[in-house]
Every structure is written in structure tokens, then in C-alpha cells.
Amino acid sequence: MNDIIINEVGPRDGLQSQPTVLSPQQRGGLIQALFAAGLTNIEIGSFVSPIAVPQMAATDALAQALQVPMGAEVSALIPNMKGYELARQSGVDVVAVVVSVTETMNEKNIRMSLSQVMEVAEDIITRGSREGAQVQAYLAVAFECPFEGLVDPDRVVDLAARLMAAGARELVVADTIGAANPKQVRSLMERLVDNHGAPRLACHFHDTRALGLANVYAALEAGVRRFDAAVGGLGGCPFAPGTKGNVATEDVVMLCEQLGYRTGVDIDRLLTVVEMVAQLLDSELGGRAFGWLKQRAA
């Protein structure tokens, strides 16, 4: 299969860690620009407390105001059942739940045990299946935890099986702190592809140790064709000092297109969006290949 689906997570995972808080109108303008660049899967925000995450305030109004092109899909992160209900009331039919695979990460992040988080996730997946929603299940810190260190792949495989059995549309394996290496990625993703099939799997990589693109390649070799990425390399993890952002969308597009895959993304328009976001945030942004790509486009 030569088609690659890139799920653009900049408007949520990227912006939520930025000190500059964009208005819902600015966020909406960014999302529309990403659609215009050919991205058809976009995580538009999260339904969390605006006190805790002011960058994601008014995601309900944002969702209702968006002009979503035919064939495109928007999703939102939800922390619990209340978030699920708010998302559905706002017209969002694709929701993402996150389970950290280690006890300590769950406790530090949301003050719940792993078993409690799994129960919430399974309940949301079950309800979503019953009500016609589609639930993406994320397994965070799937390779290494900032508190517990390396993660046993068997734990990831077991949790994945439970989430898939509950009815998750898609399982996203997340290297939340950017600690994975290509050997680990290929080994784990081959096991999961064997168990669940590539169409129901995706990967989410950060570039902390400069291995983000190498890990995308390893996942491609394992059969994965769905990837999260953030325009300009936006993002970060507050629990891992020194963590870099997500793999940059422009880098993933470049890699996949040079390998002969189709992404459907207009790279020149995407570079314009990178510059747009950099101006909005008053910050220097861009993936590892941004300078080369701009020079090539000139």
C-alpha cells in the first residue's frame, strides 16, 4: 500500500505546550490552512479544562465553526467520559483516549492508576462503538517512561490487545518523550501488525534524540502507514526535560514522498503554513529539512 495517512496534531499536541495562547479564531485559521495544504486528518484540539490547558479553550466553538472539506476528518483528545460527551455535542465524531503504559506516568499526569485509566478508556470505546463514534486509543510512553525507564514490549502488546478487543478503531503507539530507536520500533510494530493488521495501527514520534524520522522509517518497514506529525515540529512533553516536539509534518512528507509513497500533501503550501505558525507564536519553527525544502521551492 503506497498511500500514507498523516494525522496532523499541531493544532492540539503542538499548541498545548506553547507559552503563547492562540485565540480560537487563530487556531481555526491554522486548521483551514492545513486543509488547504492537503492534510485530510487533523487533531483540532482537546476537551479539557481551560483552566488547566488554556491553549485548548473553546474547542467546542472551534469545532462548530470549522469548514471541513469533503473526505477530511477531524478528531479531538478527550480525557474522560465528560470530554467524550462534550466532543460529541460539538459534532466531533472521532475522539482520542490516552493510556500511559506505566503506573507512574498515569499518576503524575492525571492522578489515576493504570487500571483506572484502562477502565475509563474501555468504557469510552464501548460507548463510542454503540453510539457511532470512532475512538482512537493512544498508548503513551510505549518505549520509555521518564519515571520508570525502558518499557517491556510485552506490556504494550497486552494493553493493545485489550484496547483493540474493546473496539478501538485505531491504536496509536506513542514515543511520547522521543526515546525510541528504530530497532525497538520495528520489533514492536511488527508484533502489533501481526496481531491486529497494519490498517488499525499508527505511530506517534517525537524527535528528542534526533531519531524521529528514522523511527518513522522503521515503522514503515514494519508495515505501518499512518503517522502523527506536527507542522514545524511543534510540541513537547512537560514531564521530560529537554523533550523536543513531534516529528515535523514537512519532514515526514518529504521522507515518504522520496520513498515513493503518496501523502496527498502540497509541500510548498505546507511550508507556508510553517511560516504562518512561526509568526503567530513568534518562534522559530521548522523540521530538520525545512531550510532545504524552502531553498528547493524558491
Side-chain angles (χ1 to χ4, degrees):
M1 186 172 71
N2 285 329
D3 290 332
I4 300 296
I5 296 176
I6 295 177
N7 183 41
E8 172 59 55
V9 299
R12 197 281 302 175
D13 193 30
L15 292 182
Q16 73 171 13
S17 60
Q18 300 301 311
T20 299
V21 178
L22 300 186
S23 69
Q25 292 76 22
Q26 289 173 316
R27 291 158 56 199
L30 166 60
I31 293 166
Q32 299 295 169
L34 290 165
F35 281 137
L39 288 149
T40 57
N41 293 69
I42 301 179
E43 185 182 46
I44 63 169
S46 58
F47 288 86
V48 295
S49 166
I51 297 173
V53 189
Q55 295 89 340
M56 293 293 103
T59 295
D60 54 348
L62 169 63
Q64 293 166 12
L66 284 175
Q67 299 295 315
V68 181
M70 185 73 68
E73 178 181 282
V74 299
S75 62
L77 178 74
I78 57 170
N80 48 37
M81 193 64 77
K82 180 180 178 181
Y84 168 84
E85 292 168 351
L86 290 172
R88 296 284 280 154
Q89 290 166 12
S90 302
V92 178
D93 295 326
V94 182
V95 297
V97 295
V98 179
V99 176
S100 294
V101 302
T102 65
E103 288 286 354
T104 310
M105 188 65 174
N106 287 300
E107 291 165 1
K108 295 282 188 180
N109 192 21
I110 54 176
R111 296 183 178 87
M112 293 173 65
S113 68
L114 175 56
S115 62
Q116 289 173 318
V117 176
M118 280 294 291
E119 183 178 354
V120 170
E122 289 170 323
D123 286 347
I124 291 172
I125 293 169
T126 300
R127 180 173 174 182
S129 298
R130 186 173 65 247
E131 297 179 349
Q134 301 184 68
V135 183
Q136 301 166 320
Y138 277 73
L139 283 176
V141 294
F143 297 93
E144 186 172 327
C145 171
F147 306 106
E148 297 186 20
L150 290 174
V151 170
D152 183 350
D154 289 342
R155 178 187 295 186
V156 180
V157 171
D158 291 344
L159 292 173
R162 284 182 56 183
L163 293 167
M164 289 301 215
R169 182 192 78 169
E170 176 180 297
L171 180 82
V172 187
V173 179
D175 179 24
T176 310
I177 64 171
N181 66 61
K183 184 177 180 181
Q184 291 172 302
V185 170
R186 181 158 184 173
S187 175
L188 177 59
M189 296 316 299
E190 283 179 342
R191 290 179 66 182
L192 293 173
V193 167
D194 286 343
N195 290 348
H196 307 291
R200 295 182 68 193
L201 297 171
C203 286
H204 176 111
F205 296 117
H206 286 246
D207 205 29
T208 306
R209 304 183 189 181
L211 291 174
L213 272 190
N215 289 331
V216 170
Y217 182 76
L220 282 167
E221 290 287 282
V224 178
R225 297 292 181 267
R226 301 174 67 96
F227 296 93
D228 283 1
V231 59
L234 283 167
C237 176
F239 295 101
T243 298
K244 299 295 183 182
N246 295 273
V247 285
T249 307
E250 59 270 25
D251 286 350
V252 177
V253 170
M254 179 200 68
L255 172 67
C256 292
E257 296 280 352
Q258 289 194 4
L259 291 173
Y261 297 101
R262 295 186 298 267
T263 66
V265 177
D266 184 322
I267 191 68
D268 293 332
R269 286 191 173 189
L270 182 61
L271 296 178
T272 300
V273 181
V274 175
E275 294 174 325
M276 168 189 171
V277 182
Q279 185 174 14
L280 286 170
L281 298 175
D282 192 23
S283 177
E284 186 174 343
L285 296 175
R288 295 184 179 277
F290 180 78
W292 178 84
L293 288 167
K294 283 294 293 181
Q295 184 179 34
R296 177 199 58 83

